[in-house]
């Protein structure tokens, strides 16, 4: 079985400050890792993904994430957040024949 | 290329009624998954269909059912609605089936169900 843990349910941060949203996973097989973003009253959209190769992955809107196999982590970072980044962020893992597993989400609140 | 289309976007039902939600995946995508999202429980997996067959199922009562048609379009049905069924129901499609591809999902905007 695989699982995803997002340690922070809410993260408040001031505009233009850096942010890190944490994600840890567990799986018995090789995995693909994803971050999705959900704006109010909308579906989820892909922010970035790790499939293989470089462990530093860059996504849309200036976000990046680093895959750390030894720590089974895939933390999401942005050096300077904007008001428009206020949303809920979901980490997800896929691997083998199991369904895609999502974390419980982290609500990022950017304070002006 | 058109995205995932879910209909209806909003609907209101009363307890005891039933509801059918529809999802049209991205053209060429053969796998459709359904999720229920509520403030209290977060994002919960309902079921996954591939080639008209249910491949994975979440931990929901039998009142929740689904199907997939030969054109990959999918419907889910909830019978005997309860207040707790009020939620955003999200559909996601992917190019490949379970154990294939990367698992990347493409989501629709969702169907927001309110049960009174």
């Amino acid at each position: 079985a695989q699982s995803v843990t997002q340690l922070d349910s809410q993260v408040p941060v001031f505009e233009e400050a850096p942010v890190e949203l944490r994600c840890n996973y567990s799986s018995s097989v090789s995995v693909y890792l994803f971050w999705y973003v959900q704006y109010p009253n909308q579906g989820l959209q892909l922010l970035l993904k790790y499939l293989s190769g470089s462990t530093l992955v860059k996504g849309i809107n200036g976000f990046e994430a680093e895959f750390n196999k030894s720590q089974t982590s895939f933390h999401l970072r942005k050096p300077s957040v904007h008001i428009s980044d206020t949303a809920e962020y979901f980490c997800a893992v896929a691997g083998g024949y199991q369904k895609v597993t999502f974390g419980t989400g982290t609500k990022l609140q950017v304070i002006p | 290329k058109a995205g995932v289309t879910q209909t209806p976007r909003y609907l209101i039902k009363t307890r005891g009624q039933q509801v059918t939600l529809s999802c049209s995946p991205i053209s060429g995508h053969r796998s459709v998954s359904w999720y229920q999202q509520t403030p209290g429980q977060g994002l919960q997996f309902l079921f996954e269909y591939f080639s008209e067959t249910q491949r994975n199922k979440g931990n929901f009562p039998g009142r929740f059912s689904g199907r997939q048609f030969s054109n990959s379009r999918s419907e889910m049905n909830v019978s005997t609605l309860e207040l707790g069924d009020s939620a955003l129901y999200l559909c996601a499609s992917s190019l490949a089936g379970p154990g294939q591809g990367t698992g990347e999902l493409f989501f629709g905007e969702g169907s927001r169900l309110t049960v009174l």
Side-chain angles (χ1 to χ4, degrees), chain A residues 40-111:
Chain A
N41 295 315
Q42 293 186 25
L44 281 68
Q45 66 180 81
L46 185 68
L47 202 55
L48 49 78
K49 58 188 175 185
Y50 171 78
L51 304 181
S52 65
S54 173
T55 57
L56 183 62
V57 179
K58 294 189 182 299
I60 62 172
N61 301 338
F63 283 93
E64 63 181 32
E66 185 153 20
F67 170 56
N68 188 318
K69 189 174 182 179
S70 62
Q71 297 187 8
T72 60
S73 67
F74 190 54
H75 300 333
L76 180 70
R77 302 185 183 100
K78 186 170 183 177
S80 175
V81 296
H82 189 265
I83 291 289
S84 59
D85 293 324
T86 295
E88 189 161 16
Y89 293 79
F90 293 90
C91 181
V93 61
Y97 284 85
Q98 299 179 62
K99 61 175 176 59
V100 176
T101 303
F102 285 86
T104 51
T106 297
K107 291 183 179 176
L108 175 62
Q109 182 187 5
V110 180
I111 305 164

Side-chain angles (χ1 to χ4, degrees), chain A residues 32-34 36 38 41-46 49 51 88 90 94-104 107, chain B residues 9-10 35 37 42-43 45 48 56-58 88 90 98-110 112:
Chain A
Y32 303 113
L33 295 160
F34 308 87
Y36 289 86
Q38 184 179 33
N41 295 315
Q42 293 186 25
L44 281 68
Q45 66 180 81
L46 185 68
K49 58 188 175 185
L51 304 181
E88 189 161 16
F90 293 90
Y97 284 85
Q98 299 179 62
K99 61 175 176 59
V100 176
T101 303
F102 285 86
T104 51
K107 291 183 179 176
Chain B
R9 287 293 313 279
Y10 301 91
Y35 293 83
Q37 187 178 31
L43 197 62
F45 172 76
E48 177 184 14
N56 281 302
K57 187 177 188 302
L88 180 66
L90 292 165
Q100 306 167 337
T102 65
E104 181 177 348
L105 298 175
F106 297 80
F107 284 84
E109 296 281 285
R112 184 166 294 282

